[in-house]
Amino acid sequence: MYSVKLNNNRDFPVLGVGTLFATKEGEAEQLVKDAIDIGYRHFDTAMVYRNEKEVGAGIKAKISEGVVKREDIFLTTKLWCTYHRREKVVEACKTSLSNLGLEYIDLYLIHSPSAFKEGDDFWPKDSDGKLMIEYVDYVETWKGMEECVKLGLTKSIGISNFNSQQIDRLLKAATIKPAANQIECHPYLNQAKLIAFCKEKGIIITAYSPLGSPNAIAKETTQAPLQDPKLQELAKKYNKTVAQIILRYLIQHGTVPIPKSSNKKRLQENFDIFDFEISKEDKNAIDALNKNIRISHLRRLKAVSYVT
């Protein structure tokens, strides 16, 4: 598996498997087992996905079979928004580790700059059904993330859904620089400016919803990238699927995509993208498809910026 170097010199596989929506009993575990057999070594989960136990079980099963060693696997999970107080971050990280059944996390991310009201409910709402926000500064949250590194709970730490202003502010206070920023990224939202900004700061971009998240909440009027005529034309030209074209493009675009599929055939197809390269001309044509359209809407995660 090809990899890039994070800013702490750790290897980060350039293609991963997302596990969002892998919530049926046994689904995430089987997905991980199948993916490891195919050759994947990078897996992405989160406390809020409620499947950390199954993801961990899949990894441990393949370690027990002798297919992989723990150090072969790169695992990302995320701090949820109800644990943003500095004092709660280590507790949440330890909970995720317990769920996973592993000794350490490879990359631990702040899932969003926003903080929600603490408690057992991941999506706390008031009597009017509105999400209950708490004003916890993500800089304070980051100090808790740095504690997780110092305690050996995670090898690397990063962020998710942060914009350039928020990153700039965080960098001024950080003693450990974020290794990655996980954001929505696909041909209709290619994030060129944010990718360039993060590259300048030594932060790798992880691209979630790389295929447009056909199963995610999306505008009904928004065409998915998988149906785009230009991408379909390029798929024929390179004798690849549209998904393969998109994933190859995103890697050449400077990101690490993490598509999700529970279908073993699609997992294999998504993995078979290292035997060709998209020409500069065709990459430019895909760049031109950018519409700055979000397919996975994050209204509930609208961040408090703390930028003055």
Side-chain angles (χ1 to χ4, degrees):
M1 168 64 78
Y2 296 94
S3 64
V4 292
K5 288 287 186 183
L6 296 174
N7 57 31
N8 59 0
N9 207 38
R10 293 188 63 81
D11 290 327
F12 190 36
V14 297
L15 179 67
V17 176
T19 62
L20 177 63
F21 302 120
T23 54
K24 296 177 183 176
E25 186 176 353
E27 182 181 4
E29 181 177 351
Q30 190 60 50
L31 185 163
V32 170
K33 290 177 181 178
D34 289 342
I36 288 175
D37 286 341
I38 288 167
Y40 289 92
R41 297 296 182 261
H42 174 185
F43 298 92
D44 184 276
T45 184
M47 177 182 281
V48 75
Y49 300 170
R50 301 179 189 272
N51 62 12
E52 288 177 318
K53 289 183 180 180
E54 290 200 354
V55 170
I59 292 170
K60 288 187 293 180
K62 288 301 171 180
I63 291 173
S64 296
E65 290 175 20
V67 178
V68 290
K69 299 176 182 178
R70 172 63 186 94
E71 57 266 31
D72 298 328
I73 299 296
F74 193 102
L75 178 72
T76 300
T77 193
K78 309 177 194 77
L79 175 81
W80 186 236
C81 306
T82 52
Y83 290 89
H84 271 217
R85 271 197 306 117
R86 180 177 181 177
E87 296 78 9
K88 299 289 286 184
V89 176
V90 169
E91 174 191 328
C93 189
K94 287 181 176 178
T95 297
S96 284
L97 273 175
S98 176
N99 288 340
L100 292 161
L102 302 174
E103 293 181 356
Y104 64 89
I105 296 162
D106 291 282
L107 177 61
Y108 195 44
L109 305 179
I110 299 179
H111 208 140
S112 162
S114 293
F116 300 166
K117 180 178 173 58
E118 286 181 18
D120 296 331
D121 190 349
F122 284 164
W123 300 97
K125 295 178 181 177
D126 62 20
S127 56
D128 295 323
K130 292 182 180 179
L131 194 60
M132 299 173 74
I133 301 292
E134 283 196 354
Y135 293 91
V136 180
D137 191 337
Y138 53 77
V139 169
E140 289 302 307
T141 308
W142 189 253
K143 291 177 182 177
M145 299 288 283
E146 291 176 334
E147 283 296 315
C148 292
V149 176
K150 292 170 186 174
L151 291 170
L153 305 177
T154 183
K155 302 292 186 181
S156 307
I157 49 176
I159 50 184
S160 182
N161 301 305
F162 274 60
N163 63 35
S164 59
Q165 286 182 304
Q166 292 157 347
I167 294 169
D168 235 355
R169 183 171 177 271
L170 183 62
L171 287 173
K172 290 173 183 176
T175 58
I176 300 175
K177 183 186 288 189
N181 183 23
Q182 186 175 130
I183 56 174
E184 180 183 345
C185 186
H186 47 75
Y188 286 177
L189 183 71
N190 72 21
Q191 301 275 20
K193 289 183 180 179
L194 188 52
I195 291 169
F197 174 86
C198 286
K199 184 177 181 180
E200 180 186 332
K201 303 296 183 182
I203 300 170
I204 297 290
I205 291 290
T206 306
Y208 73 74
S209 300
L211 304 178
S213 280
N215 295 323
I217 300 170
K219 287 183 179 179
E220 293 180 3
T221 55
T222 301
Q223 182 187 48
L226 288 170
Q227 277 76 55
D228 188 274
K230 182 61 181 179
L231 293 172
Q232 291 179 342
E233 175 190 321
L234 290 174
K236 290 179 182 177
K237 175 179 176 179
Y238 287 91
N239 194 28
K240 291 289 182 178
T241 67
V242 176
Q244 288 170 328
I245 293 294
I246 292 173
L247 295 174
R248 183 69 213 184
Y249 162 76
L250 288 172
I251 289 173
Q252 292 182 217
H253 192 51
T255 77
V256 173
I258 48 168
K260 181 265 170 181
S261 178
S262 297
N263 181 294
K264 194 168 184 178
K265 181 174 179 290
R266 290 196 198 97
L267 280 170
Q268 181 67 62
E269 286 179 353
N270 291 347
F271 192 77
D272 293 337
I273 59 171
F274 299 105
D275 59 350
F276 79 108
E277 187 169 321
I278 296 171
S279 71
K280 183 177 180 181
E281 180 184 4
D282 289 336
K283 182 181 176 296
N284 290 341
I286 301 175
D287 285 342
L289 298 177
N290 182 56
K291 307 174 191 292
N292 289 322
I293 290 176
R294 291 190 180 277
I295 292 178
S296 299
H297 294 288
L298 294 171
R299 293 190 188 94
R300 292 179 294 182
L301 295 183
K302 187 176 181 182
V304 179
S305 71
Y306 295 100
V307 175
T308 57

